[in-house]
Amino acid sequence: MRKVVLVPGDGIGPEIVASALKVIEASGAEIEWGRIEAGKKVLEETGRTIPPKFFDMAMVKGPVATPVGGGFRSINVMIRQRLNLYANVRLVKSVPGVKALHEGVDIVVVRENTEGLYSGIERESSIGTVETVKVTSAEACERIGRFAFDYAEAHGRRLMTAVHKANILKKGDGLFLNSVSAIAPQYPGIKFNDMMVDNAVFQLVTNPKQFDVIVTQNLYGDIISELCAGLIGSLALVPGANFGDNLALFEAAHGSAPLIAGKGIANPTGVILSAAWMLDYIGMSTESQSIVKAVYKVLGEGKVLPQDMGGSATTQEFTEALIDAMG
Ligand code: NAD
């Protein structure tokens, strides 16, 4: 029996996490879940956004809402910074049979998770003018560069593309690009190139198959990974993980989708694939594989599809189809 921390989150979080728990149970994986709340409700009740007992080797988390244009600071960003989960990885892979803008997409987006424009440093320098500080340190750039190359090497990837805007942000993005470029020669088996972020999004939409692994800074990675989700047919198809040196937190790429929360129609695929990734991470690769296979089978057949993918299945019906497919 392995211990894993579970954070159901806000909005659709509890519904999709409940679905993931059923699928994990059906896979035969024996997990002792340490359930922890983190979010707006906890903040209001306890004055803390993250409970003190949060640390564990592996965590599965549902999405957590953040107020727009004011209010408390993003709990997601705080968790990532406090636990030093410096690398965010999102796997954007076409599912055969699923209708999408492009087929055969297989891109890994590695995003620096602790600084950049998510530093939280903003000031009103004069009335009507706000300055937002983008923090870029050599240490964080080297760390994410090395992580990306190590990930690529360990997973048989062949091309690394560093995405930046170093023509305009000469110092900050320049430091990122120089740091990653300096690491590249240490990985001769992986081709390296770089692309400006504006060109990168155009290239992604028109010819996504030219990409393999993308390494980039915080905000660019956030935007690029959701754009990539659009290429493969649903925001809910993309699993994600945040890695630190000895910790990993697995969560879908999407947010708490407040407009559909409580309706029982959310697509749980992202959190299910993230949870399957967690199982692999803790050494339960057989159980992980059986979940991934079931997801591919059900989505590929297209008979029971969640509503955001053009089907009519509820979260529960889709979950049952996955469990049947594992049969
Ligand atoms: P969102 O990802 O919640 O929703 C974007 C769109 O995709 C909406 O139309 C939504 O209905 C749809 N969608 C998302 N997930 C879906 C699913 N599983 N099934 C079906 N449809 C789905 O993004 P948003 O609306 O910009 O943000 C809502 C909240 O989520 C905000 O408070 C934001 O801060 C938070 N958020 C949290 C995380 C996280 O916890 N990691 C990530 C992104 C956004």
Side-chain angles (χ1 to χ4, degrees), residues 15-85:
E15 303 161 44
I16 56 175
V17 164
S19 159
L21 290 183
K22 284 184 198 154
V23 173
I24 288 176
E25 198 183 339
S27 77
E30 292 188 359
I31 303 285
E32 188 191 326
W33 296 102
R35 221 181 165 87
I36 280 176
E37 300 296 332
K40 185 168 177 263
K41 203 163 157 266
V42 186
L43 175 70
E44 285 162 359
E45 283 167 8
T46 67
R48 309 177 97 122
T49 46
I50 313 165
K53 185 184 155 292
F54 196 76
F55 300 82
D56 224 317
M57 191 184 107
M59 295 167 262
V60 172
K61 181 184 146 296
V64 174
T66 305
V68 176
F72 59 87
R73 224 185 137 208
S74 165
I75 289 161
N76 296 307
V77 174
M78 270 198 279
I79 291 173
R80 291 165 190 167
Q81 288 178 345
R82 240 180 72 180
L83 302 187
N84 206 12
L85 297 166

Side-chain angles (χ1 to χ4, degrees), residues 29-275:
E30 292 188 359
I31 303 285
E32 188 191 326
W33 296 102
R35 221 181 165 87
I36 280 176
E37 300 296 332
K40 185 168 177 263
K41 203 163 157 266
V42 186
L43 175 70
E44 285 162 359
E45 283 167 8
T46 67
R48 309 177 97 122
T49 46
I50 313 165
K53 185 184 155 292
F54 196 76
F55 300 82
D56 224 317
M57 191 184 107
M59 295 167 262
V60 172
K61 181 184 146 296
V64 174
T66 305
V68 176
F72 59 87
R73 224 185 137 208
S74 165
I75 289 161
N76 296 307
V77 174
M78 270 198 279
I79 291 173
R80 291 165 190 167
Q81 288 178 345
R82 240 180 72 180
L83 302 187
N84 206 12
L85 297 166
Y86 58 86
N88 179 288
V89 184
R90 286 173 176 169
L91 308 180
V92 188
K93 194 166 177 186
S94 299
V95 180
V98 167
K99 278 193 212 126
L101 285 174
H102 290 275
E103 287 169 6
V105 174
D106 187 1
I107 300 172
V108 179
V109 182
V110 179
R111 157 185 170 196
E112 203 294 317
N113 226 3
T114 59
E115 49 180 40
L117 273 168
Y118 290 63
S119 65
I121 307 168
E122 288 191 309
R123 57 173 172 253
E124 194 165 359
S125 52
S126 59
I127 293 168
T129 303
V130 172
E131 292 174 354
T132 301
V133 178
K134 178 170 177 177
V135 177
T136 308
S137 70
E139 191 194 354
C141 294
E142 280 160 25
R143 187 173 59 173
I144 198 65
R146 191 155 304 284
F147 178 95
F149 276 105
D150 284 343
Y151 182 94
E153 195 167 67
H155 293 84
R157 298 279 175 161
R158 301 243 161 258
L159 172 68
M160 178 74 59
T161 304
V163 173
H164 60 87
K165 190 72 183 167
N167 56 333
I168 303 297
L169 302 168
K170 293 180 192 293
K171 288 197 170 176
D173 285 28
L175 177 59
F176 169 78
L177 179 58
N178 291 337
S179 304
V180 177
S181 304
I183 294 167
Q186 295 166 30
Y187 296 83
I190 300 164
K191 224 179 131 212
F192 175 70
N193 64 14
D194 73 277
M195 218 177 260
M196 248 99 75
V197 64
D198 40 350
N199 182 27
V201 289
F202 170 74
Q203 296 293 337
L204 277 163
V205 171
T206 50
N207 180 16
K209 282 191 206 162
Q210 69 183 290
F211 293 92
D212 189 0
V213 181
I214 289 174
V215 59
T216 190
Q217 290 172 287
N218 214 334
L219 180 63
Y220 305 145
D222 197 359
I223 296 169
I224 283 172
S225 54
E226 297 224 2
L227 177 136
C228 288
L231 303 176
I232 63 161
S234 170
L235 185 49
L237 284 182
V238 177
N242 303 278
F243 293 100
D245 283 332
N246 301 303
L247 280 176
L249 184 153
F250 298 82
E251 61 180 340
H254 62 74
S256 59
L259 292 180
I260 59 165
K263 295 188 175 163
I265 57 167
N267 182 348
T269 305
V271 76
I272 289 171
L273 289 175
S274 304

Side-chain angles (χ1 to χ4, degrees), residues 20 23-25 27 29 272-273 275-276 279 286-296 322 326:
V23 173
I24 288 176
E25 198 183 339
S27 77
I272 289 171
L273 289 175
L279 291 178
T286 309
E287 293 87 345
S288 170
Q289 273 309 309
S290 85
I291 294 173
V292 173
K293 267 191 207 153
V295 169
Y296 271 61
L322 294 179
M326 281 194 282

